[in-house]
Every structure is written in C-alpha cells, then in structure tokens.
Amino acid sequence: MGAVLGKTNPVQLLLMTLLEVTSFIFNHWFLTTFIKMDCVSSIMHHHVFGAYFGLMVSWALHRPGLRQRHEKEKSSTDMGKFSMLGTIFLWMFWPSYNSVLIEGKAEKMNAVYSTYFSLAASAVTVFAFSVLISKKGKMNMVYIHNATLAGGVAVGAAATVIPSPWIALTIGLTAGLICILGCWLMKPFLELAFDIHDTCGVHYVHGVPGILGVLIRIVIELATASNLQVYV
C-alpha cells in the first residue's frame, strides 16, 4: 500500500489486497515446501514480497498524469510529528517482531540484541548523513522516518546467526546508508526510468534492506559451514 499510496482509489486497494494475499500465501507455500525456507527466514519474505509487489502494482497503474507530484504528497510539520511518533514505537518493538518466531531462548535473545544494535546504528547513521547531504545543514525528517527502521529490516533474516555485535552494527550502518541514498537518488531514478512511483519509499526501506539481510545470512552460514570464525 505504501508504494501506491495517494495514487489508487479504495476499489483498487481492495483488489490489490485480494491479489497480494493470495499471491503471498502461494509464494510462501512454495518457498517453505520446495526450497525448505524456515519460519524465521520467512520474516524477510514479508518485507521483500510486499515491497516488490507494491512496486509492480505502481508500475502497472502508471499513467502520465501521475508523474506530477501531488500537493498532498509533500510533508508537513504536523504530519511529520505523528509519523515520528509511529517511528519511535516501531523502533522500540521491532526486536519483538524479529524474534517472535524463534523458540530457543539463547537464539531469541541474540535476535533481540542484534536488532537493537542494528537499529541504533541505522539511527545514528541517518542523523549524521542527513545533516551532511542537506544544503542547509539541517536534519531531513523524511530520511529519519525511513532509515531509522531500515536496520531492523536488514538484520531480521540473520538476527539468530550473528556471532558478534559489530556485525549487527555494520548491517545497521549499511542499511541506513542504502535508505538515505535510495530516498535521495533511487526514488527519482525509478520514476524516471521505469515509471514506478514509490510514494513511501518501500523499495529502499523494505525491499533492498530485506535482500541485504538474506545475503548476509547466507554469507554467515557459509562461513560457519567452512569452520571460519568471525572475531569480535
């Protein structure tokens, strides 16, 4: 919904929901049955599937008249405050989301700590770089709303297998940078090159960080299988 927000009517949203839920269930069944994806890794499936399904719907519904930015899409001070309040709640409770399907106590705590480390790194990153890339040297609340949570998305798939805090911090820093650069460069590029209007930036908040998390998990598991140690 975030990818097509402001560009669709209620009937289109209802149809999109029916198609998306049906496609998601079928895709999830395929991944768990044939590729043997475990439940914890399937958390990233929510982010990645939802993001790219929304982007494809945005592409399919593109019309030349939608290229011009709508007045309601601009940010305001009042809405920015409410959005920041929601971001804070998501930031606080994201570790419970990443660890809810984990049964082992040690693995669950590892996922909680790794998620907090990654979220903290992405938050610090966005506050620092938001000032650096701003012409007036001010913080951009749009960047902060998005990049603050990108660390939690990126660390989700690998949260249970991360052996050291510095790895979670690096993941958060990388996800924060990806989100900032995506908001700055990727969003207008998608609209110009592919006619994809991403209203809420789901591509660089959920899509790319979700894929990054899966790749990191693969690297860590390959390193573990090869008897390599990741030192603190």
Side-chain angles (χ1 to χ4, degrees):
M1 182 178 177
V4 297
L5 194 63
K7 307 293 180 180
T8 52
N9 58 46
V11 176
Q12 290 173 325
L13 288 177
L14 287 173
L15 292 175
M16 185 188 76
T17 302
L18 293 174
L19 290 173
E20 182 178 9
V21 172
T22 304
S23 302
F24 174 83
I25 293 174
F26 173 79
N27 197 19
H28 188 268
W29 169 81
F30 179 83
L31 291 175
T32 54
T33 304
F34 296 100
I35 304 182
K36 305 300 181 181
M37 176 182 288
D38 59 90
C39 292
V40 178
S41 299
S42 68
I43 291 179
M44 286 301 95
H45 184 223
H46 301 149
H47 296 288
V48 176
F49 182 88
Y52 289 104
F53 188 94
L55 291 175
M56 290 301 98
V57 173
S58 178
W59 173 77
L61 296 179
H62 173 78
R63 298 189 300 276
L66 296 179
R67 182 176 294 274
Q68 185 176 1
R69 189 177 183 186
H70 196 275
E71 181 70 22
K72 292 184 178 181
E73 191 177 343
K74 297 180 180 179
S75 59
S76 63
T77 302
D78 293 335
M79 294 307 298
K81 292 178 181 178
F82 281 105
S83 297
M84 195 65 222
L85 181 62
T87 301
I88 292 174
F89 276 101
L90 286 172
W91 197 96
M92 290 189 298
F93 293 107
W94 206 283
S96 63
Y97 174 79
N98 281 350
S99 61
V100 66
L101 297 178
I102 303 173
E103 296 181 357
K105 184 177 180 180
E107 292 181 345
K108 184 182 288 287
M109 294 308 299
N110 188 38
V112 170
Y113 291 139
S114 297
T115 303
Y116 269 129
F117 284 136
S118 185
L119 285 169
S122 63
V124 173
T125 301
V126 66
F127 277 102
F129 280 87
S130 177
V131 174
L132 290 177
I133 65 177
S134 175
K135 294 181 180 179
K136 297 181 180 180
K138 295 182 178 180
M139 295 180 183
N140 190 318
M141 293 304 295
V142 176
Y143 295 167
I144 293 173
H145 292 159
N146 294 328
T148 302
L149 303 174
V153 176
V155 80
T160 58
V161 297
I162 293 176
S164 302
W166 72 266
I167 298 178
L169 292 171
T170 305
I171 294 173
L173 187 147
T174 305
L177 288 176
I178 289 174
C179 195
I180 295 172
L181 293 176
C183 188
W184 187 26
L185 301 173
M186 196 181 299
K187 183 176 181 178
F189 173 78
L190 285 176
E191 190 169 356
L192 181 64
F194 301 103
D195 293 330
I196 297 177
H197 179 86
D198 187 4
T199 304
C200 294
V202 297
H203 186 210
Y204 49 82
V205 178
H206 298 276
V208 178
I211 295 175
L212 174 65
V214 173
L215 294 177
I216 291 171
R217 173 158 186 160
I218 293 173
V219 171
I220 293 176
E221 290 188 344
L222 288 176
T224 303
S226 302
N227 293 325
L228 297 177
Q229 291 185 347
V230 182
Y231 294 98
V232 179

